[in-house]
């Protein structure tokens, strides 16, 4: 569910890209082992039309071109009332990998009336184990004086894609990074 109107009106919130898609931009870089070199954004305020007056949006598709020529896209939606929905699909020449599901449990109930799924309702539920694993790794990195797995460069590059996506939306054109 979307934050209350005051969240958007305060002037301190970022866009959907700052608040959410930044993680997918970072993941895309990691999965492709390549840098994003071009971004083209399409965005709208459909579920929350009041965002239009603030220059914001609740849904977006960001097309990405990578340095070695591969392409990808990140679709982001705010206010998906049915549950917390984060999935990744990698389509290649030899097959497809799908990661994630909106189902909370790997159970599907099929009856004469149709099917039923139990859905994840919040990001803290969906990523609880991941957050614990990340914190353990962070502490071990410090205690064992290891090189960090996620660097400042990674953070800067993900933010660069966010800023390019916002600019592309505002200027209705592709942005080269």
């Amino acid at each position: 569910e979307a934050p209350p109107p005051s969240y958007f009106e305060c002037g301190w919130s970022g866009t959907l890209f700052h608040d959410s898609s930044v993680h997918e931009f970072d993941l895309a870089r990691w999965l492709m082992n390549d840098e994003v070199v071009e971004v083209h954004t399409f965005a709208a305020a459909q579920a929350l039309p009041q965002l239009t007056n603030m220059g914001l949006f609740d849904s977006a598709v960001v097309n990405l071109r990578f340095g070695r020529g591969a392409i990808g896209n990140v679709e982001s939606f705010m206010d998906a009332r049915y549950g917390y929905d984060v999935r990744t699909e990698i389509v290649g020449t030899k097959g497809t990998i799908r990661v994630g599901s909106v189902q909370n449990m790997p159970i599907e109930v099929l009856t004469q009336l149709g099917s039923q799924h139990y859905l994840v309702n919040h990001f803290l539920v969906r990523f609880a184990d991941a957050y614990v694993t990340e914190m353990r790794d962070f502490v071990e990195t410090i205690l064992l004086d290891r090189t960090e797995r996620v660097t400042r460069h990674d953070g800067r590059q993900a933010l660069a894609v966010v800023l390019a996506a916002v600019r592309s939306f505002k200027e209705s054109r592709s942005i080269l990074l």
Side-chain angles (χ1 to χ4, degrees):
E1 209 171 307
S6 60
Y7 174 78
F8 302 104
E9 295 163 354
C10 74
W12 288 97
S13 71
T15 65
L16 178 62
F17 304 140
H18 293 84
D19 296 347
S20 180
S21 309
V22 65
H23 303 293
E24 280 64 50
F25 299 150
D26 185 46
L27 177 62
R29 289 180 58 254
W30 181 76
L31 287 170
M32 298 302 293
N33 192 29
D34 199 2
E35 297 297 344
V36 175
V37 296
E38 184 177 4
V39 173
H40 193 125
T41 301
F42 297 93
Q46 297 295 306
L48 305 166
Q50 66 274 21
L51 294 180
T52 303
N53 298 335
M54 295 176 255
L56 298 174
F57 41 85
D58 57 31
S59 55
V61 175
V62 180
N63 295 313
L64 308 172
R65 183 175 310 281
F66 293 87
R68 293 192 306 267
I71 58 172
N73 71 38
V74 171
E75 301 172 13
S76 303
F77 302 95
M78 189 182 307
D79 211 38
R81 298 284 174 114
Y82 59 87
Y84 189 73
D85 188 356
V86 175
R87 293 173 276 152
T88 299
E89 186 174 58
I90 304 156
V91 179
T93 58
K94 296 181 180 177
T96 296
I97 300 170
R98 290 183 177 162
V99 180
S101 169
V102 294
Q103 295 182 27
N104 195 21
M105 298 178 279
I107 297 171
E108 182 176 4
V109 178
L110 303 172
T111 68
Q112 186 176 4
L113 300 174
S115 65
Q116 179 180 0
H117 304 275
Y118 299 95
L119 304 179
V120 176
N121 65 355
H122 197 272
F123 74 94
L124 289 175
V125 173
R126 176 67 183 266
F127 295 112
D129 292 340
Y131 290 140
V132 170
T133 301
E134 287 174 356
M135 289 302 295
R136 282 188 182 136
D137 183 69
F138 176 73
V139 170
E140 287 175 9
T141 297
I142 292 169
L143 293 176
L144 301 175
D145 198 28
R146 287 190 321 220
T147 302
E148 64 273 2
R149 296 174 202 255
V150 180
T151 66
R152 287 176 274 197
H153 175 76
D154 294 318
R156 282 192 301 270
Q157 293 304 102
L159 180 58
V161 177
V162 166
L163 298 175
V166 171
R167 185 172 166 205
S168 173
F169 166 67
K170 289 181 177 180
E171 298 178 11
S172 295
R173 66 180 184 94
S174 290
I175 302 297
L176 298 177
L177 277 78

